[in-house]
């Protein structure tokens, strides 16, 4: 099967969150298992672009409303990623340093999708599956089926994977002129709530919808930022498939980004050595349990609750624990978190920003990973943490519900709580401190955690079934 993934992110070319990790790994493992999978994404001005060599694959031209533009498709020249990576270069529109966050993002991603569909329509032999990810690729299926110029693509099967339905790419009808000449009778397929809604259009038009965990699939019918009814109606073509993780990148026995390697047998000593290094660097107490938070500092991840909960936990436990926060996001949350550094020297620190290496060091050093997310479609951090023998403390929602078993339940290896509030977080920290003191129980949990297999190989088969069901 020839599978073309269309996405706004793909690690290591450009990543803002878990979407990048997933799109960077899924095709690699699909290829290993015998299919021909590739990725097409926008050409941003990222370090990866500058540090690698690219071949020109195709030059084309099309228009975005009244603006006629040339685009170039370039391809990573060595194939070292394990899949072909194609970038769409549209001068002045996509070639910027950041992925998102510009006032013309709507135009940028429609431009990207138009160029992708235009390029596909020039392929000799067409691919078997176009696999779109999130709303930035949500209009592709509509364009393939209902734009007059792209009728050649109308029978190619399409899949949409939803990594986060909070973001939907909604826009006013004035933007409809940006979509290449389309069949006006199909207006209803673009519409949700009197707007053009890219994610809703994707859900309506594709052959199959996937979300990144089974529980999140269920949740979308009751909580999806306005699309609940749509997901209820379309349930029959939706399926939840839990993400995998790239075990080649996330392996404490070989990870080049961590100071000391360890495996299942050497985890106790290995983690302590990594913890000593991190604690020395960030002025933390290496003899107390270390709880880390790694993620975007936004309400969706309940980062707004962290400053109060951390203060409360440090006071209540008489500094019985350390916290280390890595992330960036809302400036008010960043400053509230930074403020605590002066109040709790020796037990609390932050790294405001995003840095892949510090993330890896923290997974290797920490005893616990805190994820109080309000919304978590899958969550990859808890999966990384399991692999590094770091006990996940998670709110019981979405993919966190599906991947963590509380230590009070049979076979448990984590800590789960119900609410994204201070009380539940502080109580969970107290539970963490207790179990940390019980060396035998802690060791047994760590070993259980490290044995859990979330590798991509098994996930690939689930996607293959989805493709076959529509193929
Ligand atoms: C998004 C979701 C996250 C998921 C990731 C990859 O970032 O918020 O839960 O793990 O996509 O699918």
């Amino acid at each position: 099967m020839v599978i073309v993934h269309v996405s706004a992110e793909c690690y290591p070319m450009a990543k803002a969150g878990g979407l990048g990790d997933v799109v960077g790994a899924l095709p690699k493992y699909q290829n290993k298992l015998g299919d021909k999978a590739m990725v097409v994404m926008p050409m941003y001005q990222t370090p990866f672009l500058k540090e690698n060599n690219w071949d020109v694959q195709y030059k084309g031209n099309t228009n975005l409303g009244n603006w006629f533009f040339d685009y170039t498709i370039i391809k990573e020249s060595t194939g070292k990623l394990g899949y072909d990576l194609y970038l769409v270069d549209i001068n002045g529109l996509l070639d910027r340093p950041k992925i998102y966050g510009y006032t013309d993002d709507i135009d940028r991603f429609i431009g990207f999708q138009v160029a992708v569909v235009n390029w596909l329509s020039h392929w000799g032999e067409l691919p078997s599956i176009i696999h779109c990810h999130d709303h930035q690729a949500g209009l592709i299926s509509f364009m393939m089926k209902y734009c007059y110029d792209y009728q050649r693509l109308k029978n190619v099967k399409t899949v949409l994977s939803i990594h986060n339905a909070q973001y939907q790419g909604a826009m006013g009808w004035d933007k409809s002129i940006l979509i290449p000449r389309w069949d006006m009778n199909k207006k209803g397929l673009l519409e949700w709530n009197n707007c053009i809604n890219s994610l809703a259009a994707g859900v309506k038009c594709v052959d199959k919808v996937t979300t990144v965990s089974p529980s999140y699939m269920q949740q979308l019918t009751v909580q999806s930022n306005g699309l609940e009814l749509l997901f209820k109606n379309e349930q029959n073509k939706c399926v939840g498939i839990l993400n995998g993780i790239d075990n080649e990148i996330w392996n404490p026995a070989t990870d080049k980004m961590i100071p000391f390697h360890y495996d299942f047998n050497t985890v106790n000593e290995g983690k302590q050595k990594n913890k000593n290094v991190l604690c020395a660097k960030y002025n933390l107490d290496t003899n107390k349990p270390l709880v880390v938070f790694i993620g975007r500092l936004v309400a969706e991840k309940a980062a707004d609750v962290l400053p109060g909960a951390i203060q409360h936990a440090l006071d209540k436990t008489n500094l019985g624990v350390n916290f280390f926060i890595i992330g960036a996001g809302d400036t008010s949350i960043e400053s509230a978190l930074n403020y605590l550094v002066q109040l709790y020297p020796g037990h609390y620190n932050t790294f405001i920003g995003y840095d892949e290496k510090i993330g890896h060091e923290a997974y290797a050093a920490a005893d616990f990973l805190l994820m109080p997310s309000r919304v978590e479609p899958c969550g990859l951090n808890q999966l990384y943490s399991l692999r590094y023998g770091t006990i996940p403390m998670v709110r019981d929602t979405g993919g966190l519900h599906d991947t963590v078993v509380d230590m009070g339940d049979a076979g448990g290896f984590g800590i789960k709580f119900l609410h994204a509030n201070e009380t539940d977080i502080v109580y969970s920290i107290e539970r963490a401190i207790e179990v940390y003191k019980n060396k035998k129980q802690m060791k047994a949990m760590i070993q259980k955690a490290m044995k859990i297999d979330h590798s991509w190989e098994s996930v690939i088969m689930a996607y293959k079934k989805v493709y076959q069901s529509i193929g």
Side-chain angles (χ1 to χ4, degrees), residues 17-19 22 163-164 212 243 296 300-301 375-380:
L19 170 66
V22 169
H163 299 259
N164 197 335
V212 288
N243 282 332
R296 286 179 298 126
E300 197 184 310
K301 304 287 177 200
V375 181
E376 199 60 83
C378 175
L380 297 172

Side-chain angles (χ1 to χ4, degrees), residues 35-55:
D35 284 316
K36 170 91 185 128
M38 61 202 82
V39 176
V40 54
M41 70 184 299
M43 192 201 86
Y44 312 107
Q45 291 291 344
T46 63
F48 188 84
L49 175 75
K50 289 163 200 158
E51 289 156 11
N52 287 276
N53 294 319
W54 304 87
D55 297 328

Side-chain angles (χ1 to χ4, degrees), residues 62-250:
T62 180
N63 64 302
L64 194 58
N66 297 327
W67 182 55
F68 286 79
F69 65 91
D70 295 324
Y71 68 89
T72 309
I73 306 285
I74 58 174
K75 178 182 166 195
E76 195 278 324
S77 62
T78 64
K80 66 180 174 187
L81 298 172
Y83 53 89
D84 290 342
L85 174 64
Y86 296 95
L87 309 182
V88 181
D89 178 14
I90 305 177
N91 242 308
L93 197 68
L94 298 175
D95 53 348
R96 303 184 197 165
K98 286 193 300 176
I99 305 174
Y100 317 108
Y102 300 100
T103 50
D104 59 348
D105 277 357
I106 289 282
D107 301 45
R108 293 173 72 230
F109 289 109
I110 297 182
F112 163 62
Q113 294 176 84
V114 170
V116 169
V117 174
N118 187 283
W119 173 49
L120 287 171
S121 73
H122 289 95
W123 280 36
E125 199 172 324
L126 293 173
S128 343
I129 301 280
I130 307 295
H131 190 146
C132 305
H133 296 267
D134 276 352
H135 76 82
Q136 295 87 0
L139 295 172
I140 297 258
S141 179
F142 179 88
M143 292 186 200
M144 288 169 54
K145 289 192 165 99
Y146 307 115
C147 288
Y148 296 115
D149 295 342
Y150 300 121
Q151 288 302 294
R152 202 183 150 229
L153 302 174
K154 75 171 181 226
N155 295 323
V156 178
K157 302 295 175 194
T158 51
V159 173
L160 173 68
S161 284
I162 300 180
H163 299 259
N164 197 335
Q166 294 297 106
Y167 308 95
Q168 301 172 358
M171 61 192 96
W173 279 101
D174 53 322
K175 297 286 181 195
S176 64
I177 52 156
L178 302 182
I179 303 172
R181 293 185 314 116
W182 50 280
D183 179 354
M184 295 282 176
N185 294 320
K186 302 296 178 197
K187 192 174 171 212
L189 293 173
L190 292 173
E191 176 150 10
W192 194 260
N193 220 354
N194 299 322
C195 292
I196 297 179
N197 184 308
S198 307
L199 194 70
V203 171
K204 291 182 204 180
C205 295
V206 294
D207 297 290
K208 203 90 186 183
V209 176
T210 72
T211 60
V212 288
S213 71
S215 286
Y216 186 58
M217 185 73 263
Q218 290 312 312
Q219 256 173 317
L220 288 174
T221 61
V222 288
Q223 185 200 3
S224 52
N225 207 4
L227 300 184
E228 297 76 13
L229 199 63
L230 175 68
F231 286 110
K232 265 191 203 132
N233 292 340
E234 301 282 3
Q235 263 191 60
N236 286 344
K237 70 171 179 198
C238 300
V239 49
I241 301 176
L242 206 58
N243 282 332
I245 60 170
D246 194 332
N247 277 344
E248 289 173 8
I249 293 178
W250 298 94

Side-chain angles (χ1 to χ4, degrees), residues 408-458:
D409 297 333
F413 50 82
I415 295 179
K416 265 171 142 171
F417 50 94
L418 279 182
H419 306 106
N421 63 21
E422 282 185 29
T423 316
D424 277 26
I425 295 176
V426 173
Y427 179 60
S428 302
I429 300 287
E430 289 174 318
R431 290 182 74 199
I433 295 175
E434 272 317 298
V435 67
Y436 180 81
K437 283 186 197 147
N438 182 341
K439 294 286 169 224
K440 211 170 138 206
Q441 193 190 354
M442 187 74 184
K443 187 169 179 190
M445 288 221 302
I446 291 175
Q447 298 204 326
K448 231 180 267 170
M450 287 183 83
K451 273 196 181 152
I452 297 169
D453 180 15
H454 280 288
S455 58
W456 271 109
E457 279 82 356
S458 53

Side-chain angles (χ1 to χ4, degrees), residues 243-271:
N243 282 332
I245 60 170
D246 194 332
N247 277 344
E248 289 173 8
I249 293 178
W250 298 94
N251 180 359
T254 54
D255 187 337
K256 292 197 185 72
M257 298 191 205
I258 64 174
F260 294 98
H261 291 151
Y262 59 88
D263 60 20
F264 182 81
N265 295 313
T266 56
V267 53
N268 274 12
E269 309 85 82
K271 274 187 94 61

